[in-house]
Amino acid sequence: MGTTANFQVLRSAVIAASDADTWKKALLEWDVTSVEEHPTSDGVCVCGQIGLLWMYTITNEVNGAELYPIGSSCVEHFGRTDLNRRVDVLHKLAFVQAAANAGKTVEMTTEFFSRAALKFLLEEGAFTPDSYNHGDGANDYEFLLKMFGKRDKTTITSKQRYKIRKLVSDKIIPFILADPRVV
């Protein structure tokens, strides 16, 4: 872990906003709760690092305190796989949002999705129950996960491609565009 001046500033900010009084304990109080893309990469992290493109908000789950903006490098200093995964998921969702806002096609590729992002969408309620998924949104998730995991994409039938496009356009994109965690 870092011992740079920036790390010390980050450490002080996190401890000051935590109930815990040590770095090791304070680390456990925080979650990554949102992402914002800075249009000109001029964001400045709470540690003082300049030139951030992706700025994250971290929220203390014990006392509700927020620190913003935090760069992904600083999130890595927490040494928590779950936080790094959340950064990756929010980053993917931000790519989906940007493409949708630009009128571009969002496809079931690693550019826009990951297994973790699909699981996040399931857990957060993006796959609403309907007659097509037999009243269980988990069926949509399982279908997309299976399609995402296919090594040979040429084996995906036209009917499956249609279903993928409909799930992305009718469920995933509207969910992400309405999600305040992706700004």
Side-chain angles (χ1 to χ4, degrees):
M1 230 164 331
T3 55
T4 65
N6 285 355
F7 173 74
Q8 295 304 326
V9 173
L10 170 70
R11 182 179 167 175
S12 295
V14 168
I15 293 171
S18 298
D19 281 7
D21 56 0
T22 67
W23 173 248
K24 196 170 188 173
K25 291 178 183 175
L27 297 172
L28 302 175
E29 296 181 9
W30 295 88
D31 190 18
V32 179
T33 52
S34 70
V35 63
E36 180 179 349
E37 182 180 10
H38 196 286
T40 58
S41 297
D42 290 334
V44 180
C45 181
V46 298
C47 79
Q49 179 182 343
I50 59 173
L52 296 182
L53 174 61
W54 298 102
M55 304 180 304
Y56 298 87
T57 300
I58 59 172
T59 303
N60 187 299
E61 295 178 318
V62 174
N63 63 26
E66 288 187 346
L67 290 175
Y68 170 85
I70 299 284
S72 57
S73 296
C74 280
V75 173
E76 289 176 9
H77 282 301
F78 282 65
R80 288 180 42 199
T81 303
D82 61 323
L83 295 185
N84 293 338
R85 188 173 298 122
R86 178 62 63 99
V87 164
D88 292 341
V89 165
L90 290 173
H91 198 107
K92 292 286 188 190
L93 301 184
F95 278 147
V96 171
Q97 182 187 68
N101 285 335
K104 295 180 180 174
T105 302
V106 176
E107 296 184 11
M108 189 59 51
T109 63
T110 56
E111 177 183 1
F112 298 110
F113 296 100
S114 65
R115 286 175 179 79
L118 290 171
K119 184 163 179 92
F120 175 85
L121 290 167
L122 170 69
E123 291 169 348
E124 295 299 317
F127 303 116
T128 53
D130 59 33
S131 60
Y132 298 107
N133 61 28
H134 307 290
D136 187 354
N139 291 329
D140 290 337
Y141 163 75
E142 292 294 335
F143 169 76
L144 288 175
L145 191 61
K146 183 178 177 183
M147 296 298 107
F148 184 76
K150 283 192 175 233
R151 290 178 192 228
D152 183 1
K153 303 295 187 196
T154 63
T155 64
I156 298 174
T157 68
S158 60
K159 187 175 178 182
Q160 290 169 327
R161 288 183 195 285
Y162 176 78
K163 184 174 180 178
I164 293 167
R165 282 193 307 276
K166 289 300 283 179
L167 288 171
V168 170
S169 67
D170 294 356
K171 291 193 177 190
I172 294 174
I173 289 175
F175 180 85
I176 292 171
L177 291 177
D179 193 333
R181 293 170 289 202
V182 184
V183 182

